[in-house]
Amino acid sequence: MSKALIPGSFDPFTKGHLEIVKKASVLFDEIVVLVAKNSSKNYLFDTSTRALLIKDAVKDLHNVTVDCFDGLLVNYANKNNCDVTVKGIRNFTDYEYENSMALTNNKLSKSIYGSGITTLFIPCSPEYSDVSSSLVRLLLFQNGDISSLVPNESLILEYFNKK
Ligand code: PNS
């Protein structure tokens, strides 16, 4: 059975992320969207809220599950018998950053576990090339309209207004 991980901060999950998850879900038998719990990073939404928002957005995709992870991605991948990760690419800047991350993860998994993890890049559609979690966060603080950027505006507003 083919399985791929889609790791990220997802703070919060956007329509751009959803497009990549949908594209990956037809390429693999199983997809795990992995929410990073990096304790040194200040997220707007806590880990469980970010995971809940993703679960809501992917509820109709039957081969997609959501999990959270701390520490190295390659450790999670090895423990869960997975050697493919998927990343969405919006532009050249994303490519440069993600490619260096992909090389690091490949080398790291080879040196720790003896087999290299592969990262598959999926380009996003032009309509999502300007969609980012940071733009969503900025608009939330400015009472801007986020409806075109996220799959579940009302749920995000509910959690944002609880803060
Ligand atoms: O959505 P983001 O913020 O670009 O996601 C980055 C993420 C969480 C995928 C990346 O930082 C990550 O994999 N972090 C876990 C630690 C790790 O394995 N780093 C790479 C090798 S140093």
Side-chain angles (χ1 to χ4, degrees):
M1 223 164 86
S2 63
K3 178 169 161 186
L5 308 175
I6 308 188
S9 299
F10 307 117
D11 189 30
F13 192 74
T14 67
K15 284 188 177 176
H17 293 131
L18 182 58
E19 187 204 24
I20 299 303
V21 173
K22 283 182 177 168
K23 284 179 171 174
S25 74
V26 299
L27 299 174
F28 295 90
D29 296 320
E30 195 186 335
I31 294 290
V32 181
V33 180
L34 262 187
V35 185
K37 298 186 202 175
N38 185 343
S39 47
S40 64
K41 219 168 154 179
N42 275 330
Y43 299 108
L44 173 59
F45 295 102
D46 62 29
T47 315
S48 56
T49 304
R50 286 179 282 136
L52 178 150
L53 292 170
I54 301 170
K55 280 179 191 162
D56 174 73
V58 303
K59 59 182 179 294
D60 295 330
L61 301 172
H62 299 295
N63 61 343
V64 178
T65 56
V66 180
D67 197 4
C68 303
F69 81 114
D70 208 349
L72 288 178
L73 178 65
V74 296
N75 290 345
Y76 182 98
N78 179 267
K79 204 170 166 190
N80 292 276
N81 300 314
C82 184
D83 56 9
V84 179
T85 67
V86 169
K87 293 297 285 190
I89 301 290
R90 290 169 299 187
N91 49 42
F92 192 69
T93 309
D94 275 358
Y95 173 75
E96 273 195 319
Y97 175 75
E98 296 299 348
N99 195 45
S100 88
M101 206 57 142
L103 289 172
T104 302
N105 282 328
N106 180 273
K107 280 185 190 162
L108 209 54
S109 54
K110 255 187 202 146
S111 71
I112 305 175
Y113 299 110
S115 69
I117 198 166
T118 298
T119 302
L120 173 70
F121 296 143
I122 297 185
C124 80
S125 301
E127 64 188 293
Y128 298 121
S129 64
D130 58 344
V131 174
S132 65
S133 298
S134 56
L135 176 60
V136 176
R137 294 196 298 274
L138 189 143
L139 289 171
L140 280 170
F141 284 108
Q142 303 298 329
N143 282 321
D145 180 8
I146 58 165
S147 58
S148 64
L149 306 177
V150 297
N152 38 18
E153 181 195 15
S154 54
L155 207 51
I156 290 183
L157 289 176
E158 184 187 322
Y159 281 93
F160 181 69
N161 290 327
K162 277 187 198 164
K163 295 182 113 4

